[in-house]
Amino acid sequence: MPNPLSFSAPSPESMNSLLPGFEFTAVVSSNAVGAVYFANQISLDRQVVIKIFAPDPERKGTIRNKARAVAGLNHSNLIAMLDSGSVEGMSYLVMEFVPGKSLARSTRGKSVDFEQAMVLIDGICEGLAYAHDNGVVHGYFNSSNVLLNQQAQPKIGNFGVPHSTQGDPVADTARHFIAPEVLGMSAGATKQSDVYSVAAVFYEL
């Protein structure tokens, strides 16, 4: 099995060669699991976000199946999945670009006005309920997985994709939002797991 701690994110220039349909402009973040890039999809001249994952045959199928499930979702409170694939053993996801910060980075753990919190949670619940109605469970929902667009509308991403917490205090804090049975790997994620996580995010807000 490959050692994830040895993963080093390719440079944008290297990614341009690996995925020539895109012009990679910047590395947004990277850790032991993978990396996130800003890129321009050349054929449509649109900005996208591309997430790559360290080579891992055991997770490749899971990522592919989850991407296919999420690609069928179309909701204003969900980040759209545009494409997926693999290159040089690395799985990748192409996602809608959402200008704005994550909910975690926007609040930095500080409470917000109750009415504002209600509006945010309402949008989050609408998005997750739509996903659940279409047979998709998030499993790792937390405030880092919610991006706020320019209208402060919450948009949820990273369905079923756990994150490395190494070297990222925000991601490390995110573990406190995940349902005990998922965090302890004693059971698979369910709709109830997502409800637990939403309640934890609401409590923090």
Side-chain angles (χ1 to χ4, degrees), residues 73-126:
L73 303 179
N74 182 16
H75 193 277
S76 59
N77 292 114
L78 303 180
I79 297 173
M81 180 73 65
L82 305 177
D83 197 5
S84 68
S86 63
V87 61
E88 296 291 327
M90 300 179 293
S91 297
Y92 68 86
L93 305 175
V94 182
M95 297 168 289
E96 170 192 5
F97 169 73
V98 179
K101 297 180 181 179
S102 71
L103 181 58
R105 295 191 183 278
S106 296
T107 61
R108 289 291 182 179
K110 297 180 180 179
S111 61
V112 302
D113 176 78
F114 182 77
E115 294 300 323
Q116 182 183 5
M118 287 290 292
V119 171
L120 291 171
I121 289 298
D122 182 63
I124 288 169
C125 288
E126 289 283 347

Side-chain angles (χ1 to χ4, degrees), residues 11-71:
S11 67
E13 293 75 18
S14 297
M15 292 304 301
N16 286 338
S17 299
L18 293 174
L19 294 174
F22 300 89
E23 179 184 7
F24 287 75
T25 56
V27 180
V28 181
S29 63
S30 64
N31 54 36
V33 173
V36 179
Y37 300 81
F38 286 148
N40 183 58
Q41 187 175 5
I42 297 172
S43 61
L44 297 176
D45 191 25
R46 66 177 174 184
Q47 189 167 5
V48 296
V49 173
I50 299 181
K51 175 172 288 189
I52 66 167
F53 299 88
D56 186 344
E58 293 185 359
R59 293 184 61 198
K60 185 176 181 180
T62 300
I63 294 172
R64 181 182 63 248
N65 292 338
K66 183 65 70 170
R68 288 176 176 172
V70 175

Side-chain angles (χ1 to χ4, degrees), residues 51 76-79 98-107 117 119-125 127-128 138 140-149 152-159 163 170 174 177 197-198 201-202 204-205:
K51 175 172 288 189
S76 59
N77 292 114
L78 303 180
I79 297 173
V98 179
K101 297 180 181 179
S102 71
L103 181 58
R105 295 191 183 278
S106 296
T107 61
V119 171
L120 291 171
I121 289 298
D122 182 63
I124 288 169
C125 288
L128 284 177
H138 194 292
Y140 294 91
F141 179 77
N142 60 74
S143 54
S144 296
N145 291 328
V146 179
L147 295 182
L148 301 180
N149 65 15
Q153 178 187 35
K155 296 179 74 71
I156 305 166
N158 294 323
F159 276 78
H163 298 278
V170 174
F177 300 104
S197 298
V198 171
V201 170
F202 190 24
E204 181 191 54
L205 292 177

